[in-house]
Tab-separated table of all heavy atoms in Angstrom:
chain	number	residue	atom	x	y	z
A	17	SER	N	41.814	71.707	-18.497
A	17	SER	CA	42.924	72.630	-18.245
A	17	SER	C	43.013	73.735	-19.289
A	17	SER	O	43.673	74.751	-19.065
A	17	SER	CB	44.246	71.862	-18.200
A	17	SER	OG	44.593	71.367	-19.482
A	18	LYS	N	42.391	73.495	-20.464
A	18	LYS	CA	42.355	74.476	-21.560
A	18	LYS	C	43.744	74.791	-22.119
A	18	LYS	O	44.025	75.914	-22.536
A	18	LYS	CB	41.646	75.761	-21.124
A	18	LYS	CG	40.201	75.557	-20.683
A	18	LYS	CD	39.487	76.870	-20.417
A	18	LYS	CE	38.093	76.661	-19.872
A	18	LYS	NZ	37.240	75.811	-20.701
A	19	VAL	N	44.621	73.787	-22.109
A	19	VAL	CA	45.920	73.950	-22.748
A	19	VAL	C	45.822	73.406	-24.169
A	19	VAL	O	44.924	72.614	-24.477
A	19	VAL	CB	47.033	73.205	-21.972
A	19	VAL	CG1	47.149	73.734	-20.555
A	19	VAL	CG2	46.783	71.697	-21.970
A	20	PRO	N	46.719	73.822	-25.075
A	20	PRO	CA	46.705	73.247	-26.432
A	20	PRO	C	46.869	71.729	-26.386
A	20	PRO	O	47.642	71.207	-25.578
A	20	PRO	CB	47.924	73.912	-27.095
A	20	PRO	CG	48.128	75.180	-26.330
A	20	PRO	CD	47.736	74.879	-24.924
A	21	LYS	N	46.145	71.034	-27.235
A	21	LYS	CA	46.165	69.570	-27.219
A	21	LYS	C	47.551	68.997	-27.487
A	21	LYS	O	47.891	67.937	-26.971
A	21	LYS	CB	45.149	69.029	-28.228
A	21	LYS	CG	43.693	69.243	-27.801
A	21	LYS	CD	42.736	68.575	-28.760
A	21	LYS	CE	41.289	68.758	-28.278
A	21	LYS	NZ	40.320	68.106	-29.201
A	22	ASP	N	48.345	69.690	-28.317
A	22	ASP	CA	49.663	69.165	-28.614
A	22	ASP	C	50.682	69.436	-27.508
A	22	ASP	O	51.847	69.051	-27.619
A	22	ASP	CB	50.181	69.721	-29.942
A	22	ASP	CG	50.330	71.235	-29.949
A	22	ASP	OD1	49.937	71.880	-28.955
A	22	ASP	OD2	50.832	71.772	-30.960
A	23	PHE	N	50.259	70.085	-26.441
A	23	PHE	CA	51.138	70.318	-25.295
A	23	PHE	C	51.404	69.024	-24.537
A	23	PHE	O	52.469	68.836	-23.961
A	23	PHE	CB	50.502	71.356	-24.359
A	23	PHE	CG	51.224	71.525	-23.038
A	23	PHE	CD1	52.519	72.011	-23.001
A	23	PHE	CD2	50.603	71.205	-21.840
A	23	PHE	CE1	53.183	72.162	-21.792
A	23	PHE	CE2	51.254	71.351	-20.633
A	23	PHE	CZ	52.550	71.838	-20.607
A	24	VAL	N	50.448	68.112	-24.550
A	24	VAL	CA	50.544	66.861	-23.806
A	24	VAL	C	50.677	65.676	-24.759
A	24	VAL	O	49.979	65.589	-25.766
A	24	VAL	CB	49.315	66.646	-22.901
A	24	VAL	CG1	49.481	65.365	-22.077
A	24	VAL	CG2	49.090	67.842	-21.983
A	25	ILE	N	51.585	64.767	-24.440
A	25	ILE	CA	51.724	63.499	-25.150
A	25	ILE	C	51.392	62.373	-24.173
A	25	ILE	O	52.013	62.252	-23.114
A	25	ILE	CB	53.141	63.295	-25.705
A	25	ILE	CG1	53.463	64.350	-26.765
A	25	ILE	CG2	53.279	61.902	-26.321
A	25	ILE	CD1	54.875	64.237	-27.324
A	26	LEU	N	50.388	61.567	-24.516
A	26	LEU	CA	50.026	60.415	-23.697
A	26	LEU	C	50.768	59.193	-24.205
A	26	LEU	O	50.676	58.836	-25.376
A	26	LEU	CB	48.517	60.172	-23.741
A	26	LEU	CG	47.615	61.312	-23.234
A	26	LEU	CD1	46.156	60.901	-23.328
A	26	LEU	CD2	47.971	61.690	-21.806
A	27	ARG	N	51.525	58.546	-23.315
A	27	ARG	CA	52.307	57.378	-23.701
A	27	ARG	C	51.684	56.137	-23.069
A	27	ARG	O	51.687	55.967	-21.855
A	27	ARG	CB	53.764	57.532	-23.255
A	27	ARG	CG	54.396	58.828	-23.774
A	27	ARG	CD	55.879	58.815	-23.672
A	27	ARG	NE	56.386	58.783	-22.326
A	27	ARG	CZ	57.690	58.803	-22.021
A	27	ARG	NH1	58.594	58.869	-22.982
A	27	ARG	NH2	58.081	58.802	-20.773
A	28	ASP	N	51.121	55.257	-23.896
A	28	ASP	CA	50.449	54.067	-23.395
A	28	ASP	C	51.463	52.976	-23.060
A	28	ASP	O	52.051	52.359	-23.950
A	28	ASP	CB	49.395	53.545	-24.383
A	28	ASP	CG	49.805	53.721	-25.829
A	28	ASP	OD1	50.848	54.327	-26.082
A	28	ASP	OD2	49.078	53.265	-26.712
A	29	ARG	N	51.645	52.750	-21.800
A	29	ARG	CA	52.657	51.817	-21.310
A	29	ARG	C	52.097	50.855	-20.277
A	29	ARG	O	52.779	50.464	-19.340
A	29	ARG	CB	53.839	52.597	-20.721
A	29	ARG	CG	54.604	53.351	-21.800
A	29	ARG	CD	55.807	54.047	-21.280
A	29	ARG	NE	56.671	54.442	-22.382
A	29	ARG	CZ	57.821	55.074	-22.253
A	29	ARG	NH1	58.249	55.394	-21.068
A	29	ARG	NH2	58.557	55.378	-23.307
A	30	TRP	N	50.824	50.486	-20.434
A	30	TRP	CA	50.235	49.553	-19.496
A	30	TRP	C	50.780	48.145	-19.704
A	30	TRP	O	51.213	47.778	-20.793
A	30	TRP	CB	48.706	49.552	-19.602
A	30	TRP	CG	48.182	49.523	-20.996
A	30	TRP	CD1	48.016	48.457	-21.808
A	30	TRP	CD2	47.755	50.668	-21.756
A	30	TRP	NE1	47.521	48.829	-23.007
A	30	TRP	CE2	47.335	50.183	-23.006
A	30	TRP	CE3	47.674	52.023	-21.487
A	30	TRP	CZ2	46.856	51.018	-23.999
A	30	TRP	CZ3	47.185	52.856	-22.466
A	30	TRP	CH2	46.779	52.360	-23.706
A	31	TYR	N	50.697	47.386	-18.646
A	31	TYR	CA	51.335	46.086	-18.606
A	31	TYR	C	50.673	45.067	-19.505
A	31	TYR	O	49.471	44.891	-19.514
A	31	TYR	CB	51.351	45.532	-17.187
A	31	TYR	CG	51.796	44.081	-17.136
A	31	TYR	CD1	53.114	43.765	-17.383
A	31	TYR	CD2	50.908	43.057	-16.887
A	31	TYR	CE1	53.544	42.449	-17.367
A	31	TYR	CE2	51.331	41.731	-16.870
A	31	TYR	CZ	52.648	41.434	-17.110
A	31	TYR	OH	53.064	40.143	-17.101
A	32	ASP	N	51.490	44.393	-20.261
A	32	ASP	CA	51.118	43.204	-21.009
A	32	ASP	C	52.414	42.444	-21.224
A	32	ASP	O	53.340	42.949	-21.855
A	32	ASP	CB	50.473	43.557	-22.354
A	32	ASP	CG	49.959	42.328	-23.099
A	32	ASP	OD1	50.655	41.304	-23.088
A	32	ASP	OD2	48.860	42.403	-23.671
A	33	SER	N	52.497	41.251	-20.728
A	33	SER	CA	53.749	40.511	-20.783
A	33	SER	C	54.265	40.314	-22.200
A	33	SER	O	55.460	40.128	-22.418
A	33	SER	CB	53.583	39.150	-20.104
A	33	SER	OG	52.573	38.389	-20.757
A	34	LYS	N	53.371	40.361	-23.172
A	34	LYS	CA	53.771	40.192	-24.552
A	34	LYS	C	54.273	41.494	-25.176
A	34	LYS	O	54.808	41.502	-26.262
A	34	LYS	CB	52.614	39.637	-25.373
A	34	LYS	CG	52.176	38.235	-24.972
A	34	LYS	CD	51.019	37.770	-25.830
A	34	LYS	CE	50.575	36.372	-25.440
A	34	LYS	NZ	49.433	35.906	-26.279
A	35	LYS	N	54.022	42.585	-24.495
A	35	LYS	CA	54.397	43.886	-25.040
A	35	LYS	C	55.463	44.580	-24.210
A	35	LYS	O	55.752	45.734	-24.403
A	35	LYS	CB	53.172	44.806	-25.114
A	35	LYS	CG	52.089	44.356	-26.034
A	35	LYS	CD	50.956	45.349	-25.991
A	35	LYS	CE	49.758	44.869	-26.733
A	35	LYS	NZ	48.595	45.771	-26.564
A	36	ASP	N	56.034	43.922	-23.269
A	36	ASP	CA	57.035	44.462	-22.347
A	36	ASP	C	56.701	45.869	-21.851
A	36	ASP	O	57.543	46.760	-21.835
A	36	ASP	CB	58.449	44.387	-22.918
A	36	ASP	CG	58.723	45.273	-24.129
A	36	ASP	OD1	57.875	46.111	-24.445
A	36	ASP	OD2	59.791	45.145	-24.713
A	37	TYR	N	55.448	46.032	-21.421
A	37	TYR	CA	54.981	47.267	-20.802
A	37	TYR	C	54.924	48.450	-21.779
A	37	TYR	O	54.805	49.591	-21.375
A	37	TYR	CB	55.863	47.667	-19.616
A	37	TYR	CG	55.939	46.647	-18.515
A	37	TYR	CD1	56.852	45.613	-18.577
A	37	TYR	CD2	55.099	46.713	-17.420
A	37	TYR	CE1	56.933	44.671	-17.567
A	37	TYR	CE2	55.172	45.772	-16.400
A	37	TYR	CZ	56.091	44.744	-16.486
A	37	TYR	OH	56.161	43.818	-15.494
A	38	GLY	N	54.972	48.155	-23.050
A	38	GLY	CA	55.007	49.253	-24.014
A	38	GLY	C	56.346	49.947	-24.070
A	38	GLY	O	56.498	50.984	-24.695
A	39	LEU	N	57.313	49.395	-23.383
A	39	LEU	CA	58.640	49.979	-23.337
A	39	LEU	C	59.643	49.071	-24.013
A	39	LEU	O	59.430	47.870	-24.137
A	39	LEU	CB	59.094	50.160	-21.881
A	39	LEU	CG	58.265	51.032	-20.976
A	39	LEU	CD1	58.659	50.776	-19.529
A	39	LEU	CD2	58.481	52.475	-21.310
A	40	LYS	N	60.735	49.663	-24.457
A	40	LYS	CA	61.874	48.843	-24.842
A	40	LYS	C	62.691	48.701	-23.571
A	40	LYS	O	63.425	49.599	-23.158
A	40	LYS	CB	62.699	49.506	-25.940
A	40	LYS	CG	64.019	48.772	-26.245
A	40	LYS	CD	63.744	47.386	-26.740
A	40	LYS	CE	65.040	46.649	-27.056
A	40	LYS	NZ	65.718	46.197	-25.871
A	41	LEU	N	62.527	47.570	-22.903
A	41	LEU	CA	63.155	47.379	-21.606
A	41	LEU	C	64.646	47.111	-21.749
A	41	LEU	O	65.066	46.287	-22.545
A	41	LEU	CB	62.499	46.222	-20.859
A	41	LEU	CG	61.039	46.410	-20.468
A	41	LEU	CD1	60.490	45.139	-19.871
A	41	LEU	CD2	60.893	47.573	-19.505
A	42	THR	N	65.431	47.790	-20.959
A	42	THR	CA	66.851	47.493	-20.841
A	42	THR	C	67.102	46.995	-19.421
A	42	THR	O	66.238	47.088	-18.556
A	42	THR	CB	67.720	48.734	-21.105
A	42	THR	OG1	67.600	49.655	-20.008
A	42	THR	CG2	67.299	49.430	-22.392
A	43	ASN	N	68.287	46.500	-19.193
A	43	ASN	CA	68.610	45.989	-17.863
A	43	ASN	C	69.142	47.070	-16.924
A	43	ASN	O	69.603	46.765	-15.829
A	43	ASN	CB	69.609	44.834	-17.950
A	43	ASN	CG	70.946	45.263	-18.537
A	43	ASN	OD1	71.243	46.446	-18.707
A	43	ASN	ND2	71.773	44.279	-18.859
A	44	ARG	N	69.054	48.344	-17.352
A	44	ARG	CA	69.503	49.478	-16.528
A	44	ARG	C	70.918	49.237	-16.017
A	44	ARG	O	71.172	49.240	-14.817
A	44	ARG	CB	68.551	49.709	-15.350
A	44	ARG	CG	67.083	49.836	-15.722
A	44	ARG	CD	66.801	51.121	-16.448
A	44	ARG	NE	65.346	51.310	-16.611
A	44	ARG	CZ	64.782	52.366	-17.147
A	44	ARG	NH1	65.548	53.324	-17.604
A	44	ARG	NH2	63.472	52.458	-17.252
A	45	THR	N	71.828	48.995	-16.943
A	45	THR	CA	73.241	48.690	-16.676
A	45	THR	C	73.401	47.524	-15.698
A	45	THR	O	74.235	47.541	-14.800
A	45	THR	CB	74.020	49.909	-16.156
A	45	THR	OG1	73.474	50.332	-14.912
A	45	THR	CG2	73.968	51.051	-17.135
A	46	GLY	N	72.585	46.483	-15.916
A	46	GLY	CA	72.683	45.291	-15.095
A	46	GLY	C	71.946	45.357	-13.777
A	46	GLY	O	72.039	44.436	-12.962
A	47	THR	N	71.184	46.426	-13.543
A	47	THR	CA	70.480	46.604	-12.278
A	47	THR	C	69.271	45.686	-12.156
A	47	THR	O	68.975	45.177	-11.079
A	47	THR	CB	70.027	48.069	-12.113
A	47	THR	OG1	71.165	48.925	-12.223
A	47	THR	CG2	69.375	48.286	-10.750
A	48	ILE	N	68.542	45.500	-13.257
A	48	ILE	CA	67.360	44.652	-13.232
A	48	ILE	C	67.410	43.672	-14.398
A	48	ILE	O	68.150	43.858	-15.356
A	48	ILE	CB	66.059	45.473	-13.312
A	48	ILE	CG1	66.019	46.313	-14.578
A	48	ILE	CG2	65.883	46.332	-12.095
A	48	ILE	CD1	64.692	47.004	-14.795
A	49	ASN	N	66.602	42.651	-14.333
A	49	ASN	CA	66.505	41.656	-15.391
A	49	ASN	C	65.045	41.257	-15.529
A	49	ASN	O	64.515	40.500	-14.723
A	49	ASN	CB	67.367	40.437	-15.080
A	49	ASN	CG	67.345	39.425	-16.216
A	49	ASN	OD1	67.016	39.761	-17.348
A	49	ASN	ND2	67.683	38.191	-15.900
A	50	ILE	N	64.389	41.775	-16.538
A	50	ILE	CA	62.982	41.505	-16.740
A	50	ILE	C	62.652	41.566	-18.220
A	50	ILE	O	63.232	42.332	-18.977
A	50	ILE	CB	62.092	42.500	-15.965
A	50	ILE	CG1	60.620	42.074	-16.046
A	50	ILE	CG2	62.295	43.919	-16.461
A	50	ILE	CD1	59.720	42.862	-15.125
A	51	GLY	N	61.702	40.757	-18.633
A	51	GLY	CA	61.277	40.780	-20.020
A	51	GLY	C	62.240	40.060	-20.947
A	51	GLY	O	63.228	39.468	-20.541
A	52	ASP	N	61.945	40.112	-22.223
A	52	ASP	CA	62.765	39.493	-23.247
A	52	ASP	C	63.854	40.467	-23.655
A	52	ASP	O	63.689	41.281	-24.545
A	52	ASP	CB	61.892	39.107	-24.448
A	52	ASP	CG	62.670	38.340	-25.504
A	52	ASP	OD1	63.760	37.834	-25.183
A	52	ASP	OD2	62.190	38.269	-26.657
A	53	GLN	N	64.991	40.382	-23.004
A	53	GLN	CA	66.048	41.357	-23.196
A	53	GLN	C	67.130	40.874	-24.142
A	53	GLN	O	67.372	39.679	-24.270
A	53	GLN	CB	66.678	41.722	-21.851
A	53	GLN	CG	65.701	42.381	-20.891
A	53	GLN	CD	66.376	42.811	-19.601
A	53	GLN	OE1	67.373	42.262	-19.180
A	53	GLN	NE2	65.832	43.827	-18.980
A	54	GLU	N	67.749	41.818	-24.802
A	54	GLU	CA	68.853	41.512	-25.687
A	54	GLU	C	70.083	41.111	-24.886
A	54	GLU	O	70.268	41.517	-23.747
A	54	GLU	CB	69.190	42.729	-26.550
A	54	GLU	CG	68.078	43.176	-27.464
A	54	GLU	CD	68.436	44.454	-28.200
A	54	GLU	OE1	69.585	44.904	-28.074
A	54	GLU	OE2	67.573	44.996	-28.892
A	55	GLU	N	70.931	40.318	-25.509
A	55	GLU	CA	72.183	39.948	-24.886
A	55	GLU	C	73.116	41.150	-24.831
A	55	GLU	O	73.053	42.050	-25.658
A	55	GLU	CB	72.857	38.811	-25.662
A	55	GLU	CG	72.094	37.493	-25.614
A	55	GLU	CD	72.842	36.384	-26.327
A	55	GLU	OE1	73.972	36.635	-26.800
A	55	GLU	OE2	72.300	35.273	-26.417
A	56	ILE	N	73.964	41.142	-23.836
A	56	ILE	CA	74.943	42.211	-23.695
A	56	ILE	C	76.022	42.033	-24.744
A	56	ILE	O	76.625	40.982	-24.866
A	56	ILE	CB	75.565	42.198	-22.287
A	56	ILE	CG1	74.484	42.427	-21.230
A	56	ILE	CG2	76.668	43.241	-22.158
A	56	ILE	CD1	74.926	42.120	-19.843
A	57	GLY	N	76.238	43.065	-25.512
A	57	GLY	CA	77.256	43.008	-26.552
A	57	GLY	C	78.487	43.803	-26.146
A	57	GLY	O	78.420	45.007	-25.917
A	58	LYS	N	79.630	43.119	-26.040
A	58	LYS	CA	80.850	43.758	-25.582
A	58	LYS	C	81.313	44.847	-26.531
A	58	LYS	O	81.967	45.810	-26.125
A	58	LYS	CB	81.955	42.714	-25.408
A	58	LYS	CG	83.220	43.260	-24.769
A	58	LYS	CD	84.249	42.168	-24.552
A	58	LYS	CE	85.527	42.734	-23.919
A	58	LYS	NZ	86.554	41.674	-23.703
A	59	TYR	N	80.973	44.726	-27.810
A	59	TYR	CA	81.446	45.677	-28.797
A	59	TYR	C	80.303	46.459	-29.447
A	59	TYR	O	80.349	46.780	-30.621
A	59	TYR	CB	82.284	44.959	-29.859
A	59	TYR	CG	83.475	44.236	-29.278
A	59	TYR	CD1	83.474	42.864	-29.126
A	59	TYR	CD2	84.596	44.950	-28.859
A	59	TYR	CE1	84.554	42.208	-28.574
A	59	TYR	CE2	85.684	44.304	-28.300
A	59	TYR	CZ	85.658	42.929	-28.159
A	59	TYR	OH	86.734	42.288	-27.592
């Protein structure tokens, strides 16, 4: 494409159950429940 190299950021997020997809998974306000998630803190 001949664009500057710093124009693009590649984010490695391939699946590995031990790495939670390379993401910090949240429950999307209770919509989903997957991975090792933190407990909901009322405060």
